[in-house]
Amino acid sequence: MTAADFRKLIADGVVAPSQDFGATTDLYEELINKNNLSQYYNFAASGGTAQTNYRASLFFNEANGIAKQNGREQFGGRVNINQRGLDDRLSLSVNIAATMNKANLLGGGGGDFEQAIQRNPTAPIYNPDGSFFETQGYNNYNPLSRLAHRISERNQQTFSGDALLSLKLIKGLTASTFVSYVRDNYNDRYYRSRKDWDQRPNSDYQGMAYASKSNLVYWSKTLESTLNYTRDIGTDHTITALAGYSYQYETTEAFNVNNNGFTTDGFLDWNLGAGSAIQNTTLPRPGMGSNKVDNTLIAFFGRVNYSFSDRYFLTAILRREGSSRFGANHKWGNFPAVSAGWVISEEAFMQDISLINQLKLRVGYGVTGNQGIPNYQSIVTLGTGGVYPQNGVYYQTYGPVRNPNPNLRWEQKAEWNFGLDFAILNNRVSGSIDVYNRTTKDLLYNYNAQQPSFVRDQIYTNVGSIRNSGVELQLSAIPVQNKNFQWNVDFTGNTQKNKLTQLSNDVFKANWLEFYGLPSPGALGNAFRLEEGGAVGNFYGKRFAGFTEDGKWQFYKADGSKAPANEMNNDDLVVIGNGVPKLQLALNNRFTYKNFDLTVFFRGKFMYDILNTKELYFGNKNWLPNNLLKSAITTHNALNDAPQYSDYYLEKGDFVKLDNLTIGYSFHFNTKLIRNMRLYITGRNLATFTGYSGIDPELQDTGFETGVDGRGFYPRTKSMAIGLTVGF
């Protein structure tokens, strides 16, 4: 609400007169960076001879976010060199890239824009003496004060290099070795000055400053060697075979330290030892920490392809992979795949059908593995406990922080796929349709463990399976094509459904799993429940039955009767919606007329629900004297009760977005100095067509917590870019 709306509530006696602080503030507007112009420059050069060619590029990017104190500067380069020798039997390709990035991470936090919604709009930004005005309401702070009195920066350097060496040993047989190295390093600095509200004299920090530093180094190295054999047998048969070995090792090292008790801001975070908290035990304790994790992934693999007369195709693949993340009994997994194809359009009986240019039928079955869990989940690891005194000396204690599981193994996804590729009307219309059925078993999850016999209360294990099925469609067409004008259309669409077929086994049992605990105030519980026979993304809660005359909630009980919130129990809760989109569509149109080109790209998601937590919290007059959404006194004016989670706050999320609109013009010069030049203007995220009342219906739609529109109010942006591409 605006300051005028808020003052009307004061005049109506809804809010106490003491809550009028005399100003008119649009905090949302104050947090927006009006000078958010971003720049990107790229220069590339290439050349070479018959045996050697190269390409080198440099770039600079200044990206300024929509929020104040949120942006980055980065620059970098890439070099690619290709060399051939030994009468073209030997080839070497080398790529080297480096990027330097300096980012301001202070602004743009979701909490800042949440303050813009809930902070009293009559509260000024500054006191008369120029200091920042702080409100004392629940969960309140002045975000402009934080932007002025804090530092949060990251300096990051990323390097990658790879090389591929191939040698033709004999006719049809090629040996290749690929190596790569990636290193990512960043240093973070953070500082809260003595003037920061959190450091005020009556806080735990007693008016003194706080500083911290952290750094992280990630690096990985990869080696992959293959033998590739190709042989033609007569004119109809072709066989290719590949055998290989892959090794990948990656590690992450991290360190952090913090201190407080700085009586001057002169050092900022560059003299951590100057903080007195090391000696002053009345201040919050300083801290430090470090860790290192690593993992290894090894694979042996083979593939055989067979084709007959370019009509019939057969492929068989086998991978044997071992991961250090799994238990001693199951580090290795076997993952086979087989597929076949039939080019029907090459058959003799199709040659007289001029309408069809291509028609290919495909079928495949394959198993893949997933190792996407944290490191060391299968073994006992140690952590620190308390300290104990002995002869006047305090000794640190250690103990297990994780249950071992030597039977922790690969999660496996088995999938059947049936596909059809086609092209008709002289290839003016082409596309494909795929139907798949996917079963994921041995799901990796952190389950509750019984104590005893387990030492800790949770354990990573393999329990459960999920079935997914769906249809994917891709179409491309050229509706119009003549000398000066061409219209290309590309359409993609997919639909899917899922079902949890198993959740428990003989050892680890669960009736259900729940996700996304709703934030305070109020003990509102979890938003999602996943149970056997149910779908991923099911919202589980109360069914809204109306309001009483005095504005209190009523919900439906299991027997169909109505009851207030305090009479509801677990037996009354049901599936009230689902946050996973069942249908996704995209449509791209490209028009070219002489030197002009126009691209228009739409996409959309359909058949899913959104939990609007912004309305749940800020659309409720119970949030007063904090500020509210205007819907609290319009749409939800009948409500006069504490927040409750129910289907009252579920909305349809269907939307269509104009995601990209680009207009370009290509110049043609009759000169050797400039090969080509194109000027273009691009707009992104230009329009959204939806019935959803929130900021943006496009939310996270993977994982177990899909379809929740959280309380953050970070603005969705429309961007415009002007670009010029020149070739010399």
Side-chain angles (χ1 to χ4, degrees):
M1 291 188 294
T2 65
D5 297 327
F6 198 83
R7 288 191 172 100
K8 187 175 185 306
L9 293 182
I10 294 175
D12 293 341
V14 178
V15 179
S18 60
Q19 292 299 311
D20 188 343
F21 298 110
T24 298
T25 302
D26 186 343
L27 187 54
Y28 205 87
E29 192 71 12
E30 294 285 344
L31 290 170
I32 298 295
N33 177 18
K34 305 298 194 306
N35 300 314
N36 57 36
L37 179 67
S38 296
Q39 305 174 68
Y40 180 84
Y41 304 95
N42 184 78
F43 176 79
S46 61
T49 66
Q51 299 299 314
T52 307
N53 63 75
Y54 69 89
R55 177 181 171 84
S57 63
L58 297 171
F59 78 91
F60 172 79
N61 181 27
E62 180 186 27
N64 293 302
I66 190 68
K68 290 180 177 179
Q69 298 267 23
N70 181 231
R72 71 177 185 273
E73 285 187 0
Q74 60 179 354
F75 63 91
R78 174 180 290 274
V79 176
N80 168 248
I81 301 174
N82 299 292
Q83 174 74 44
R84 305 184 70 86
L86 298 180
D87 293 329
D88 290 340
R89 297 171 64 88
L90 180 68
S91 65
L92 173 66
S93 177
V94 177
N95 296 282
I96 298 174
T99 300
M100 310 298 169
N101 184 352
K102 182 176 182 180
N104 185 350
L105 307 177
L106 184 59
D112 287 356
F113 285 99
E114 183 177 320
Q115 290 299 311
I117 299 302
Q118 74 168 17
R119 190 173 185 267
N120 189 322
T122 70
I125 301 296
Y126 302 98
N127 290 306
D129 62 0
S131 61
F132 286 94
F133 184 91
E134 297 286 352
T135 53
Q136 304 294 310
Y138 172 78
N139 199 32
N140 268 221
Y141 66 86
N142 186 335
L144 274 299
S145 173
R146 291 191 174 187
L147 297 184
H149 297 318
R150 297 186 179 187
I151 297 171
S152 181
E153 294 179 351
R154 171 171 293 177
N155 280 299
Q156 185 169 8
Q157 304 84 37
T158 303
F159 169 85
S160 65
D162 62 72
L164 175 63
L165 180 68
S166 297
L167 176 64
K168 295 179 181 178
L169 301 174
I170 58 175
K171 182 180 179 180
L173 182 63
T174 301
S176 298
T177 297
F178 172 82
V179 293
S180 73
Y181 180 80
V182 176
R183 183 181 180 90
D184 188 19
N185 173 77
Y186 64 77
N187 292 290
D188 287 352
R189 56 183 298 231
Y190 181 78
Y191 186 74
R192 293 198 303 263
S193 81
R194 297 171 58 246
K195 297 179 181 179
D196 190 88
W197 178 250
D198 285 359
Q199 310 303 119
R200 61 194 182 275
N202 61 348
S203 72
D204 291 342
Y205 294 96
Q206 303 174 30
M208 290 174 276
Y210 170 92
S212 70
K213 285 186 176 294
S214 64
N215 75 283
L216 181 142
V217 177
Y218 163 86
W219 60 269
S220 69
K221 56 184 180 182
T222 302
L223 167 68
E224 185 170 292
S225 295
T226 59
L227 281 174
N228 198 341
Y229 179 71
T230 302
R231 183 178 180 185
D232 294 325
I233 304 174
T235 59
D236 294 330
H237 305 274
T238 300
I239 297 176
T240 64
L242 179 144
Y245 166 83
S246 175
Y247 170 89
Q248 180 177 317
Y249 175 81
E250 62 179 24
T251 185
T252 301
E253 302 173 11
F255 173 78
N256 64 83
V257 61
N258 69 79
N259 198 7
N260 64 89
F262 299 93
T263 56
T264 176
D265 291 326
F267 296 120
L268 298 179
D269 54 314
W270 299 115
N271 189 354
L272 291 182
S276 62
I278 298 174
Q279 298 85 17
N280 186 351
T281 58
T282 66
L283 290 170
R285 294 293 75 218
M288 67 175 65
S290 64
N291 68 82
K292 177 181 179 179
V293 295
D294 65 351
N295 70 82
T296 302
L297 179 66
I298 297 174
F300 299 91
F301 54 90
R303 183 183 70 231
V304 177
N305 297 321
Y306 168 76
S307 68
F308 174 71
S309 296
D310 290 330
R311 284 181 293 169
Y312 309 103
F313 301 87
L314 182 66
T315 299
I317 300 172
L318 177 63
R319 291 184 65 90
R320 179 167 174 79
E321 294 186 274
S323 172
S324 62
R325 288 175 171 167
F326 296 117
N329 300 333
H330 295 281
K331 289 191 180 296
W332 291 89
N334 298 317
F335 307 106
V338 62
S339 62
W342 176 26
V343 184
I344 305 172
S345 55
E346 292 295 319
E347 297 290 351
F349 61 81
M350 295 290 294
Q351 300 311 304
D352 294 332
I353 306 178
S354 60
L355 174 68
I356 299 176
N357 305 111
Q358 183 195 30
L359 189 64
K360 181 180 180 180
L361 182 66
R362 296 176 282 105
V363 61
Y365 172 81
V367 180
T368 56
N370 174 32
Q371 59 150 357
I373 59 173
N375 295 308
Y376 311 138
Q377 297 303 311
S378 66
I379 59 176
V380 174
T381 55
L382 292 179
T384 57
V387 295
Y388 70 94
Q390 185 172 339
N391 298 324
V393 178
Y394 285 86
Y395 292 90
Q396 178 69 57
T397 63
Y398 303 91
V401 295
R402 183 174 292 113
N403 291 313
N405 184 0
N407 294 315
L408 188 66
R409 59 190 180 273
W410 288 86
E411 180 180 292
Q412 298 188 46
K413 179 180 68 178
E415 178 175 330
W416 280 98
N417 182 284
F418 300 88
L420 182 68
D421 302 327
F422 61 89
I424 60 175
L425 299 175
N426 293 323
N427 294 307
R428 293 280 291 271
V429 178
S430 62
S432 64
I433 183 170
D434 287 87
V435 180
Y436 66 87
N437 190 299
R438 180 184 305 144
T439 298
T440 305
K441 67 176 184 178
D442 293 336
L443 289 171
L444 292 162
Y445 190 74
N446 201 16
Y447 265 68
N448 292 329
Q450 182 176 350
Q451 294 177 287
S453 58
F454 290 103
V455 176
R456 310 300 296 184
D457 61 351
Q458 290 192 317
I459 184 172
Y460 252 98
T461 189
N462 302 86
V463 179
S465 62
I466 293 178
R467 181 179 299 122
N468 291 269
S469 60
V471 178
E472 298 175 346
L473 176 65
Q474 186 271 324
L475 293 172
S476 296
I478 308 175
V480 180
Q481 185 179 38
N482 56 45
K483 180 179 179 181
N484 293 321
F485 180 76
Q486 182 167 317
W487 173 21
N488 293 74
V489 178
D490 294 292
F491 171 83
T492 60
N494 69 78
T495 180
Q496 65 92 26
K497 61 180 180 179
N498 65 73
K499 180 180 180 181
L500 180 70
T501 55
Q502 181 185 350
L503 183 58
S504 302
N505 62 19
D506 294 338
V507 178
F508 300 98
K509 299 183 183 296
N511 294 324
W512 59 74
L513 302 176
E514 292 189 333
F515 306 95
Y516 200 88
L518 291 160
S520 60
L524 302 185
N526 298 299
F528 297 95
R529 176 174 289 189
L530 182 61
E531 53 191 345
E532 285 190 9
V536 174
N538 274 346
F539 292 108
Y540 195 83
K542 300 184 285 291
R543 295 172 295 157
F544 176 66
F547 298 113
T548 62
E549 291 184 359
D550 58 351
K552 305 302 180 183
W553 292 102
Q554 285 192 305
F555 301 104
Y556 289 109
K557 293 185 68 66
D559 61 6
S561 62
K562 298 180 181 180
N566 60 3
E567 294 182 14
M568 301 294 290
N569 56 53
N570 287 333
D571 294 334
D572 301 317
L573 307 182
V574 297
V575 175
I576 55 177
N578 187 277
V580 179
K582 309 301 183 296
L583 176 65
Q584 300 189 43
L585 303 174
L587 177 66
N588 187 65
N589 289 274
R590 178 176 170 80
F591 307 91
T592 57
Y593 176 71
K594 294 185 177 179
N595 291 3
F596 291 94
D597 62 85
L598 171 66
T599 300
V600 184
F601 178 57
F602 290 94
R603 61 182 177 84
K605 299 179 182 181
F606 308 91
M607 302 170 61
Y608 70 105
D609 300 302
I610 294 177
L611 173 59
N612 192 338
T613 64
K614 295 176 175 62
E615 294 289 339
L616 193 159
Y617 292 98
F618 304 117
N620 188 324
K621 293 190 294 290
N622 205 64
W623 196 254
L624 291 169
N626 284 329
N627 199 6
L628 307 169
L629 295 173
K630 191 171 290 187
S631 59
I633 57 174
T634 55
T635 306
H636 313 299
N637 190 49
L639 173 60
N640 187 26
D641 204 350
Q644 292 290 333
Y645 164 54
S646 75
D647 60 358
Y648 179 79
Y649 293 107
L650 290 183
E651 301 182 39
K652 295 299 180 185
D654 300 21
F655 72 87
V656 173
K657 283 193 173 187
L658 175 54
D659 209 40
N660 181 286
L661 179 65
T662 299
I663 301 174
Y665 184 84
S666 298
F667 298 86
H668 298 298
F669 299 99
N670 187 21
T671 174
K672 295 182 179 180
L673 296 178
I674 300 178
R675 290 186 292 109
N676 55 69
M677 185 169 73
R678 180 171 178 263
L679 177 67
Y680 63 90
I681 301 175
T682 296
R684 295 184 178 89
N685 195 28
L686 296 179
T688 301
F689 307 94
T690 182
Y692 178 59
S693 66
I695 294 177
D696 190 342
E698 186 169 22
L699 306 167
Q700 171 187 319
D701 57 12
T702 58
F704 294 131
E705 300 180 348
T706 63
V708 176
D709 191 359
R711 284 179 14 178
F713 285 84
Y714 193 87
R716 302 303 190 264
T717 61
K718 297 178 177 65
S719 65
M720 300 294 295
I722 299 176
L724 179 67
T725 303
V726 182
F728 301 97

